Amino acid sequence: MIHRDDTLKEKEHSESTTVVNHSVIATNVQDVTRIYVAGKHMLQVILSTAQVFVQDSDGNLVTCRALLDPGSQSNLITADLVQRLKLQQIKRNTIISGVDKLADPTFNEPGKIYLLIGAALYWKIVIGSPRNYIDGQPALQNTRLGWIIGGEVTVKSSCATSTCLTVTNAQLQQQLQRFWEQETLSEGRLYTEEEKRCEKQFLETTTRDADGRFIVRLPVRPGIILGESRSQAQRRFEQLERRLVKQPQIKQVYCEFMREYEELHHMILVEDLESLKNKESYFIPHQAVVRPDSVTTKLRVVFDASAKTTFGTSLNDKLMPRPNLQKDLLHITLRFRVHEYVVTVDIKKMFRQIFIHQKDRVLQLILWREDARKPLRVYQLNTVTYGTASAPYHAMRCLRELATIYKREYPAAARILEEDMYR
């Protein structure tokens, strides 16, 4: 009769078997803690590596460490080694699964891995069968690169890995609370001090002209000082000119856009440049954004009010943070589902329906010319400008003001402006 020694069986069980303990600690029904603990003795796996010579683009031999992986379907090389070998690179989007930073937990000399030799080459360099079949010890394998070592090895240490998973009713309660908070409609938030000042300025300084158009002041911070900005605006305009020369169709649309801007008096030529010298001014760079799929505007001229001056500040830095008047997306979606039929409309040139006060237009200067052979001219933008930080606030705030003014005369329209607007 063949039998196994009980002590040996217990020894093997203690070295290789994972032990899971489960305990429940309960002081009362409302507070239950379940603890799951799993423990296993520490084992390490030696990865097979080899020192190899690789020829660079100049024919020189470079020594590097390679990881031999018979389970990999790819042969890989690190970016560091590519640079060392001076190889030409071609950019390509390829999905590679199961590859991460490679370590080298060899028994004596850990080091960086530069090559991964996969199954396509591994079986061509292996010679014979592995040596050493003793459990708990790594195996030796002869290859065309020399002998490699790999496999599992028992660590002579009393340390063991343990995993503890704890679940309490308190944690479940917190998770449930976060779920309900996400599903709850948010209440109106409180304004900051600067947002309050921005709102106060709108109420105290906003007027309307003879045609009913709003005239607003820019909500500037007096403590933010702007430096010189024309040099950067001119440099970027000259870059734009060179681009438009190479794209005549875009140039034609761009010039038509700026021509219309001037014809509508949304921008005017600054005749007296001397008057700008004693005032804090700001030149806004502008560029073309082409949107061929857009239904309304194929090309939009975008004004970059975040461009830094020589002081490291910009117009958007100088503008106070304005209150967010936009309803949250959940509220808008619910309102959208209330009606049986829904019609969406777009207000044409929405920002440009609102004028900027004459005193603040010096902060909205641009450079423009259609013909590169002519001198650059300075224009000021008279309306709320797309690209300034306060533009969305002014647009939404003026619509709300219209709803307030005409609520009694047009209650249905006022309700739409207050509840169903989405910028």
Side-chain angles (χ1 to χ4, degrees), residues 139-353:
L140 297 173
Q141 175 65 57
N142 192 16
T143 70
R144 297 184 183 276
L145 302 176
W147 288 91
I148 60 175
I149 184 172
E152 193 175 57
V153 60
T154 303
V155 179
K156 294 182 179 180
S157 173
S158 59
C159 298
T161 59
S162 298
T163 302
C164 178
L165 305 175
T166 305
V167 180
T168 67
N169 277 6
Q171 290 175 324
L172 294 177
Q173 178 65 27
Q174 292 174 359
Q175 294 175 359
L176 186 61
Q177 182 177 351
R178 285 197 298 268
F179 169 78
W180 287 115
E181 289 175 351
Q182 292 176 353
E183 295 296 320
T184 303
L185 288 175
S186 59
E187 300 178 357
R189 68 179 184 86
L190 299 177
Y191 287 171
T192 65
E193 291 300 320
E194 282 195 327
E195 289 174 341
K196 290 178 182 179
R197 289 199 294 270
C198 186
E199 178 68 13
K200 181 181 179 181
Q201 183 196 54
F202 180 89
L203 294 173
E204 294 178 350
T205 63
T206 300
T207 59
R208 301 176 72 185
D209 64 9
D211 296 327
R213 294 182 183 274
F214 284 95
I215 304 174
V216 297
R217 296 294 304 267
L218 291 177
V220 297
R221 290 167 164 155
I224 302 296
I225 307 300
L226 299 175
E228 194 274 330
S229 57
R230 173 164 179 158
S231 299
Q232 180 186 195
Q234 182 169 339
R235 183 169 60 254
R236 290 179 58 174
F237 178 78
E238 290 169 352
Q239 293 174 353
L240 173 67
E241 271 190 326
R242 291 192 292 269
R243 175 190 171 189
L244 295 180
V245 169
K246 300 176 182 179
Q247 299 173 306
Q249 293 181 344
I250 295 180
K251 179 180 180 179
Q252 179 181 353
V253 179
Y254 202 101
C255 291
E256 290 174 356
F257 180 94
M258 300 300 285
R259 217 175 289 135
E260 180 200 47
Y261 222 104
E262 188 173 7
E263 290 171 355
L264 294 175
H265 300 286
H266 293 171
M267 75 176 189
I268 59 174
L269 180 66
V270 178
E271 301 284 358
D272 184 13
L273 298 180
E274 292 295 325
S275 62
L276 302 177
K277 291 184 177 181
N278 298 324
K279 297 179 181 179
E280 187 178 37
S281 61
Y282 183 80
F283 283 82
I284 307 178
H286 52 94
Q287 62 190 39
V289 175
V290 181
R291 302 185 300 173
D293 299 332
S294 175
V295 177
T296 56
T297 308
K298 302 295 183 182
L299 180 140
R300 182 189 295 273
V301 176
V302 177
F303 298 92
D304 183 11
S306 295
K308 300 297 184 181
T309 66
T310 54
F311 287 177
T313 55
S314 67
L315 176 58
N316 281 343
D317 294 332
K318 191 175 180 65
L319 297 177
M320 288 189 292
R322 59 279 172 219
N324 182 13
L325 304 181
Q326 181 65 62
K327 298 287 186 180
D328 62 82
L329 187 58
L330 179 59
H331 180 275
I332 295 170
T333 304
L334 292 177
R335 289 288 303 163
F336 188 84
R337 294 172 64 87
V338 167
H339 308 285
E340 183 176 2
Y341 302 101
V342 179
V343 177
T344 60
V345 296
D346 180 39
I347 300 177
K348 186 176 182 181
K349 298 181 178 64
M350 182 176 182
F351 291 167
R352 289 162 58 186
Q353 304 302 321

Side-chain angles (χ1 to χ4, degrees), residues 120-140:
L121 295 177
Y122 178 84
W123 299 108
K124 295 180 180 180
I125 64 174
V126 171
I127 302 174
S129 59
R131 305 276 184 89
N132 190 7
Y133 295 94
I134 302 175
D135 293 339
Q137 294 185 7
L140 297 173

